[in-house]
């Protein structure tokens, strides 16, 4: 390589380096710090916890039967509106009627025997008082009378039971409400053993619902009666429903959860009952609710953004502005006559966005929340006939034919 070519390359590198340095230095010169301010204003502060729960009717009754037999007729279906005492199903009564007649006949016979023994006992008692019969004959009449009385009482109880069982064959609604579940069909046999079989489930007044939410043991201390609750359901993702805490149940539930290292830990939760109005009947039984329970609230109080309490100016950041600091803390900063002035404040409740200001600054004051570094250099577009370095390649010829 000749000395002339080497000299040309060195000159080109120097020119390029100087140009880049000029661009970088120009950008730095154009960098500008802008301070963002926001007014102190009134707002709401709310701290909350989250949980999941299940929507349930406030009152829900499972209707069953205490006798075994075949379902003869069903008069309702899902979503049927029923009234208290309304007949909703009937069981086959042939066997129950037969049992009733048998119990009635047995009772009639026991009654006749009792009445006979009673008359005999009264007669022998009179004779025994006059010493006209022996003690043995009298005692035997007493024994027969008491035995007949006991048998008569037993048959009366058996007759009452048979009558009650027959009444159980006619199944009525215990409340005013809506049938939410039907677990039997006509012709199906139900057996009443140790557990009463459920035939229907009836919910009362679906315009009043409740959410039973499982709250973690770490959060349950913050939940209070009548606390405000917002919740959503997947069926209506754009709707936010409102409720109130009605009950915090003392009984806990233990469940196991597995972690990534295959170990398991016990999770303790408590059931919190939340009441909610349901005028549009959007909330249906057994929907899953995503619940937000507000544990602390402050409404219509003076607030500042949390960023304002975190902002602190320094000499480099302030540039040509002066800084008037104070020893108190916490504090917020206000720009006054090209100067940062610190204002000590007394704070209250805080949430994820804002903090309550009890005293120290008034509503409407503009406080500094952050500093933003901006590049104010305008974009430039170089024309085709502008001056270029002779060592840089030129653009392709637009008039060149392809």
């Amino acid at each position: 390589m000749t000395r002339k070519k080497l000299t040309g390359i060195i000159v080109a590198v120097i020119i390029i380096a100087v140009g880049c340095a000029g661009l970088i230095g120009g950008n730095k010169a154009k960098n500008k710090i802008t301070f963002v301010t926001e007014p102190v204003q009134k707002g709401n502060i709310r701290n909350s916890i989250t949980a999941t729960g299940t929507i349930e009717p406030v009152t829900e009754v499972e209707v069953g039967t205490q006798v075994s037999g075949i379902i003869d007729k069903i008069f309702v279906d899902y979503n049927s509106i029923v009234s208290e005492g309304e007949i909703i199903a009937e069981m086959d009564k042939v066997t129950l009627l037969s049992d009733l007649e048998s119990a009635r006949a047995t009772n009639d016979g026991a009654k006749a025997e009792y009445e006979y023994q009673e008359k005999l006992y009264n007669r022998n008692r009179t004779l025994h008082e006059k010493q006209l019969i022996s003690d043995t004959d009298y005692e035997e009449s007493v024994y027969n009378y008491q035995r007949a009385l006991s048998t008569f009482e037993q048959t009366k109880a058996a007759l009452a039971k048979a009558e009650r069982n027959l009444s159980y064959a006619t199944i009525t609604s215990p409340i005013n409400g809506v049938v939410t579940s039907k677990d039997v069909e006509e012709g199906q046999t139900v057996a009443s053993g140790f557990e009463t079989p459920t035939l229907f489930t009836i919910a009362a007044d679906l315009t009043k619902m409740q959410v039973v939410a499982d709250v973690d043991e770490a959060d349950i201390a913050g939940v209070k009666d009548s606390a405000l609750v917002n919740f959503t359901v997947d069926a209506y993702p754009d709707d936010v429903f409102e409720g109130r805490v009605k009950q915090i149940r003392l009984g806990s539930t233990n469940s196991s959860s597995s972690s990534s290292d295959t170990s398991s830990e016990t999770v303790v939760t408590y059931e919190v009952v939340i009441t909610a109005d349901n005028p549009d009947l959007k909330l249906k039984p057994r929907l899953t609710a995503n619940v937000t329970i507000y544990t602390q609230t402050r409404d219509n109080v003076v607030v500042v953004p949390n960023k304002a309490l975190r902002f602190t100016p320094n000499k480099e950041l302030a540039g040509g502005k002066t800084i008037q600091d104070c020893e108190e803390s916490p504090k917020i900063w206000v720009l006054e006559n090209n100067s940062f002035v610190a204002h000590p404040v007394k704070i209250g409740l805080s949430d994820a966005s804002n903090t309550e200001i009890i005293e120290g600054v008034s509503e409407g004051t503009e406080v500094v929340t952050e500093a933003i570094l901006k590049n104010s250099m305008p974009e430039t577009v170089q024309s085709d006939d502008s001056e270029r370095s002779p060592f840089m390649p030129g653009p392709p010829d637009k008039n060149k034919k392809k």
Side-chain angles (χ1 to χ4, degrees):
M1 181 180 294
T2 63
R3 178 175 294 182
K4 185 177 182 179
K5 286 186 176 181
L6 181 60
T7 302
I9 292 174
I10 293 173
V11 172
V13 171
I14 293 173
I15 293 173
I16 293 172
V18 171
C20 291
L23 289 174
I24 295 174
N27 283 342
K28 288 184 178 178
K30 295 296 182 179
N31 284 340
K32 181 180 179 182
I33 296 177
T34 301
F35 296 98
V36 179
T37 62
E38 294 187 30
V40 177
Q41 56 188 350
K42 288 191 175 181
N44 301 330
I45 302 288
R46 291 180 176 179
N47 286 330
S48 62
I49 63 170
T50 58
T52 58
T54 304
I55 295 176
E56 299 177 358
V58 175
T59 302
E60 193 171 37
V61 179
E62 293 182 347
V63 181
T65 177
Q66 295 188 21
V67 294
S68 302
I70 299 174
I71 301 296
D72 190 24
K73 294 179 181 179
I74 293 178
F75 302 103
V76 295
D77 201 350
Y78 289 96
N79 302 338
S80 295
I81 299 176
V82 295
S83 302
E84 182 179 354
E86 179 181 344
I87 298 176
I88 57 179
E90 285 186 348
M91 300 181 65
D92 181 66
K93 300 180 180 179
V94 174
T95 301
L96 296 173
L97 285 171
S98 176
D99 292 342
L100 177 60
E101 293 300 324
S102 176
R104 183 173 288 121
T106 302
N107 180 70
D108 290 343
K111 181 181 180 182
E113 176 66 17
Y114 163 71
E115 291 176 346
Y116 169 74
Q117 294 296 338
E118 183 181 26
K119 292 178 181 178
L120 184 60
Y121 161 72
N122 290 331
R123 185 184 307 116
N124 288 340
R125 182 181 62 182
T126 302
L127 294 174
H128 183 261
E129 290 174 352
K130 297 179 180 180
Q131 296 183 353
L132 297 177
I133 61 173
S134 64
D135 292 342
T136 301
D137 291 338
Y138 172 70
E139 291 172 356
E140 183 177 359
S141 65
V142 172
Y143 168 76
N144 290 334
Y145 166 70
Q146 292 178 343
R147 184 174 181 180
L149 175 61
S150 176
T151 302
F152 179 47
E153 294 294 337
Q154 289 178 355
T155 58
K156 283 199 300 184
L159 177 60
K161 181 180 179 180
E163 291 173 343
R164 178 59 63 88
N165 287 341
L166 180 62
S167 68
Y168 286 150
T170 301
I171 301 168
T172 60
S173 173
I175 59 173
N176 298 326
V178 179
V179 178
T180 58
S181 175
K182 185 183 76 167
D183 300 323
V184 291
E185 298 293 341
E186 291 183 357
Q188 182 176 338
T189 301
V190 293
S192 176
F194 294 103
E195 184 177 352
T196 301
T198 299
L199 308 182
F200 305 93
T201 302
I202 300 177
D205 191 9
L206 293 182
T207 61
K208 303 289 184 182
M209 303 293 281
Q210 66 183 17
V211 181
V212 181
D214 295 322
V215 177
D216 190 87
E217 61 177 327
D219 299 327
I220 194 64
V223 181
K224 306 298 181 184
D225 287 338
S226 302
L228 177 65
V229 180
N230 287 338
F231 63 93
T232 60
V233 294
D234 292 339
Y236 304 98
D238 297 330
D239 293 343
V240 178
F241 302 91
E242 186 174 300
R244 293 281 177 176
V245 173
K246 176 185 177 182
Q247 183 184 57
I248 303 170
R249 294 177 177 172
L250 299 179
S252 61
T253 302
N254 298 340
S255 60
S256 298
S257 63
S258 299
S259 58
S260 57
D261 58 357
T262 69
S263 62
S264 61
E265 57 181 7
T266 301
V267 178
V268 179
T269 58
Y270 291 83
E271 289 186 343
V272 175
V273 181
I274 301 157
T275 58
D277 292 332
N278 187 31
D280 300 329
L281 301 181
K282 288 184 176 181
L283 300 176
K284 296 175 174 54
R286 259 60 71 182
L287 284 177
T288 299
N290 302 307
V291 178
T292 300
I293 303 175
Y294 293 99
T295 55
Q296 292 178 305
T297 60
R298 297 284 191 277
D299 292 336
N300 198 31
V301 294
V302 176
V303 299
V304 297
N306 292 338
K307 295 183 293 184
L309 293 167
R310 294 194 295 265
F311 174 80
T312 301
N314 54 38
K315 292 182 179 180
E316 292 78 10
L317 193 65
K321 299 178 175 62
T322 60
I323 300 176
Q324 301 179 25
D325 202 350
C326 64
E327 297 181 356
E328 290 86 350
S329 183
K331 53 193 169 186
I332 58 177
W333 295 85
V334 178
L335 275 173
E336 298 178 1
N337 299 325
N338 204 35
S339 178
F340 287 101
V341 180
H343 290 259
V345 293
K346 182 178 179 181
I347 63 174
L349 191 63
S350 179
D351 60 16
S353 303
N354 300 311
T355 297
E356 176 189 7
I357 299 297
I358 299 176
E359 60 182 40
V361 67
S362 59
E363 182 181 359
T365 303
E366 293 282 341
V367 297
V368 184
T369 59
E370 58 182 326
I372 299 178
L373 185 64
K374 291 186 177 180
N375 189 324
S376 61
M377 174 180 286
E379 295 183 1
T380 59
V381 179
Q382 193 174 28
S383 61
D384 290 339
D385 55 353
S386 61
E387 183 180 357
R388 293 189 180 88
S389 170
F391 300 98
M392 298 297 288
D397 188 356
K398 295 182 180 180
N399 297 324
K400 184 178 179 180
K401 295 182 179 180
K402 297 182 180 179

